[in-house]
Short mmCIF file of all heavy atoms in Angstrom, two decimals:
data_model
loop_
_atom_site.label_atom_id
_atom_site.label_comp_id
_atom_site.label_asym_id
_atom_site.label_seq_id
_atom_site.Cartn_x
_atom_site.Cartn_y
_atom_site.Cartn_z
N ARG A 458 10.34 -16.22 28.20
CA ARG A 458 9.04 -16.81 28.55
C ARG A 458 7.96 -15.78 28.19
O ARG A 458 8.13 -14.58 28.45
CB ARG A 458 8.97 -17.12 30.05
CG ARG A 458 9.94 -18.18 30.49
CD ARG A 458 9.78 -18.50 31.96
NE ARG A 458 10.07 -17.36 32.82
CZ ARG A 458 10.63 -17.47 34.03
NH1 ARG A 458 10.95 -18.66 34.51
NH2 ARG A 458 10.85 -16.41 34.78
N LEU A 459 6.89 -16.23 27.61
CA LEU A 459 5.81 -15.34 27.20
C LEU A 459 4.49 -15.80 27.80
O LEU A 459 4.10 -16.96 27.67
CB LEU A 459 5.69 -15.31 25.66
CG LEU A 459 4.73 -14.24 25.11
CD1 LEU A 459 5.24 -13.70 23.78
CD2 LEU A 459 3.33 -14.80 24.91
N LEU A 460 3.82 -14.89 28.48
CA LEU A 460 2.52 -15.16 29.07
C LEU A 460 1.51 -14.20 28.46
O LEU A 460 1.52 -13.00 28.74
CB LEU A 460 2.59 -14.96 30.59
CG LEU A 460 1.32 -15.22 31.40
CD1 LEU A 460 0.86 -16.65 31.22
CD2 LEU A 460 1.56 -14.94 32.88
N LEU A 461 0.64 -14.72 27.57
CA LEU A 461 -0.41 -13.92 26.97
C LEU A 461 -1.57 -13.87 27.95
O LEU A 461 -2.22 -14.87 28.23
CB LEU A 461 -0.87 -14.50 25.64
CG LEU A 461 -2.02 -13.74 24.96
CD1 LEU A 461 -1.62 -12.31 24.65
CD2 LEU A 461 -2.47 -14.47 23.70
N ARG A 462 -1.85 -12.69 28.48
CA ARG A 462 -2.79 -12.54 29.59
C ARG A 462 -4.15 -12.07 29.05
O ARG A 462 -4.48 -10.90 29.08
CB ARG A 462 -2.20 -11.57 30.60
CG ARG A 462 -0.80 -12.01 31.05
CD ARG A 462 -0.07 -10.98 31.88
NE ARG A 462 -0.68 -10.81 33.18
CZ ARG A 462 -1.26 -9.66 33.57
NH1 ARG A 462 -1.30 -8.63 32.76
NH2 ARG A 462 -1.77 -9.56 34.78
N VAL A 463 -4.93 -13.02 28.57
CA VAL A 463 -6.27 -12.73 28.04
C VAL A 463 -7.26 -12.71 29.21
O VAL A 463 -7.37 -13.71 29.94
CB VAL A 463 -6.71 -13.78 27.02
CG1 VAL A 463 -8.12 -13.48 26.50
CG2 VAL A 463 -5.72 -13.83 25.86
N PRO A 464 -7.96 -11.62 29.46
CA PRO A 464 -8.92 -11.57 30.58
C PRO A 464 -9.97 -12.67 30.46
O PRO A 464 -10.67 -12.78 29.47
CB PRO A 464 -9.56 -10.18 30.44
CG PRO A 464 -8.54 -9.36 29.72
CD PRO A 464 -7.89 -10.31 28.77
N THR A 465 -10.02 -13.52 31.45
CA THR A 465 -10.98 -14.62 31.49
C THR A 465 -11.58 -14.71 32.89
O THR A 465 -12.72 -14.33 33.11
CB THR A 465 -10.30 -15.95 31.11
OG1 THR A 465 -9.77 -15.83 29.78
CG2 THR A 465 -11.29 -17.09 31.12
N GLU A 466 -10.75 -15.16 33.84
CA GLU A 466 -11.27 -15.31 35.21
C GLU A 466 -11.73 -13.97 35.80
O GLU A 466 -12.65 -13.96 36.63
CB GLU A 466 -10.19 -15.93 36.10
CG GLU A 466 -9.91 -17.39 35.81
CD GLU A 466 -8.90 -17.59 34.71
OE1 GLU A 466 -8.39 -16.56 34.17
OE2 GLU A 466 -8.60 -18.75 34.35
N GLU A 467 -11.12 -12.87 35.41
CA GLU A 467 -11.57 -11.60 35.96
C GLU A 467 -12.97 -11.23 35.47
O GLU A 467 -13.64 -10.40 36.09
CB GLU A 467 -10.59 -10.48 35.62
CG GLU A 467 -10.49 -10.12 34.17
CD GLU A 467 -9.30 -9.23 33.90
OE1 GLU A 467 -8.16 -9.71 34.03
OE2 GLU A 467 -9.52 -8.06 33.60
N HIS A 468 -13.42 -11.83 34.37
CA HIS A 468 -14.79 -11.65 33.93
C HIS A 468 -15.77 -12.55 34.69
O HIS A 468 -16.98 -12.42 34.54
CB HIS A 468 -14.92 -11.94 32.42
CG HIS A 468 -14.22 -10.95 31.54
ND1 HIS A 468 -14.05 -9.63 31.89
CD2 HIS A 468 -13.67 -11.07 30.29
CE1 HIS A 468 -13.41 -8.99 30.93
NE2 HIS A 468 -13.17 -9.84 29.96
N TRP A 469 -15.24 -13.47 35.47
CA TRP A 469 -16.10 -14.33 36.29
C TRP A 469 -16.43 -13.68 37.62
O TRP A 469 -17.55 -13.82 38.13
CB TRP A 469 -15.41 -15.67 36.57
CG TRP A 469 -14.99 -16.45 35.37
CD1 TRP A 469 -15.18 -16.11 34.06
CD2 TRP A 469 -14.31 -17.71 35.36
NE1 TRP A 469 -14.65 -17.07 33.23
CE2 TRP A 469 -14.11 -18.07 34.00
CE3 TRP A 469 -13.85 -18.57 36.34
CZ2 TRP A 469 -13.48 -19.25 33.62
CZ3 TRP A 469 -13.22 -19.74 35.97
CH2 TRP A 469 -13.03 -20.08 34.63
N LEU A 470 -15.47 -12.97 38.21
CA LEU A 470 -15.61 -12.46 39.57
C LEU A 470 -16.81 -11.54 39.77
O LEU A 470 -17.47 -11.63 40.81
CB LEU A 470 -14.32 -11.78 39.99
CG LEU A 470 -13.13 -12.71 40.19
CD1 LEU A 470 -11.84 -11.90 40.31
CD2 LEU A 470 -13.31 -13.57 41.43
N PRO A 471 -17.14 -10.63 38.85
CA PRO A 471 -18.28 -9.73 39.10
C PRO A 471 -19.61 -10.45 39.23
O PRO A 471 -20.57 -9.86 39.75
CB PRO A 471 -18.27 -8.81 37.86
CG PRO A 471 -16.88 -8.83 37.36
CD PRO A 471 -16.42 -10.23 37.62
#
Side-chain angles (χ1 to χ4, degrees):
R458 295 182 298 213
L459 189 146
L460 181 59
L461 178 60
R462 306 171 67 245
V463 179
T465 300
E466 290 86 1
E467 67 192 69
H468 292 331
W469 303 359
L470 291 168

